[in-house]
Amino acid sequence: MKINELAKKTGLTPPTIRFYEKEGLLDTRHVQRGENNYRDYCEEAVNHLLMIKEVQAAGFTLAEFKKLDDACNAEDELVTQRAAMFLRQKIAEVSEKRAELERVQIYLTGKLAEVLQEDTASVSLQ
């Protein structure tokens, strides 16, 4: 399929798809060049691009996705272990970020309470 059809199926723009290809996120498994030098994408490219969108929504950077994809496509018996290790690391990072956001929320809630208390105190003094 041509890039415009791939864009429609994935919800991505052609420039984004070309960028992913340039960054090595789409390779010869997903795209071939015809004699006219036009890109021809296979159905697997649709699934791969949708997976990229999913992992980005889950907080992965493109570089992290590339590492995970490379680990999953390595041709040795450690594929599962490497992928699991990478995913555990990402889960730990998400937990860390969640704890940090919780601390920020507690801080902001406290500040809001202070501001409201000061406002209430100044109104009752008038």
Side-chain angles (χ1 to χ4, degrees):
M1 82 185 81
K2 299 300 178 222
I3 197 165
N4 286 328
E5 183 180 349
L6 182 61
K8 284 178 190 168
K9 287 185 174 188
T10 61
L12 297 169
T13 65
T16 299
I17 295 169
R18 286 188 201 100
F19 172 77
Y20 288 165
E21 185 179 349
K22 181 182 166 207
E23 293 298 309
L25 298 169
L26 291 174
D27 57 28
T28 55
R29 293 173 295 166
H30 310 107
V31 61
Q32 300 290 320
R33 292 244 182 207
E35 287 184 22
N36 57 6
N37 207 29
Y38 287 179
R39 294 171 176 90
D40 187 38
Y41 298 91
C42 66
E43 196 62 36
E44 187 182 334
V46 174
N47 297 330
H48 194 70
L49 289 170
L50 291 174
M51 183 173 34
I52 291 171
K53 285 176 69 172
E54 284 178 17
V55 298
Q56 281 186 303
F60 281 73
T61 65
L62 291 177
E64 289 170 331
F65 172 77
K66 179 97 170 92
K67 277 184 180 175
L68 179 60
D69 191 46
D70 290 346
C72 290
N73 290 305
E75 295 184 19
D76 61 34
E77 54 280 345
L78 299 175
V79 169
T80 304
Q81 292 171 342
R82 275 198 296 268
M85 181 181 73
F86 190 82
L87 291 170
R88 282 187 192 105
Q89 180 182 357
K90 191 64 179 175
I91 290 168
E93 288 174 17
V94 168
S95 293
E96 238 177 77
K97 284 181 186 175
R98 185 173 20 189
E100 176 62 26
L101 287 172
E102 224 171 274
R103 287 190 292 274
V104 169
Q105 185 175 19
I106 290 167
Y107 172 79
L108 292 173
T109 301
K111 286 296 179 189
L112 177 60
E114 285 177 25
V115 167
L116 293 174
Q117 187 176 19
E118 288 173 8
D119 187 47
T120 303
S122 70
V123 168
S124 63
L125 291 176
Q126 293 177 0

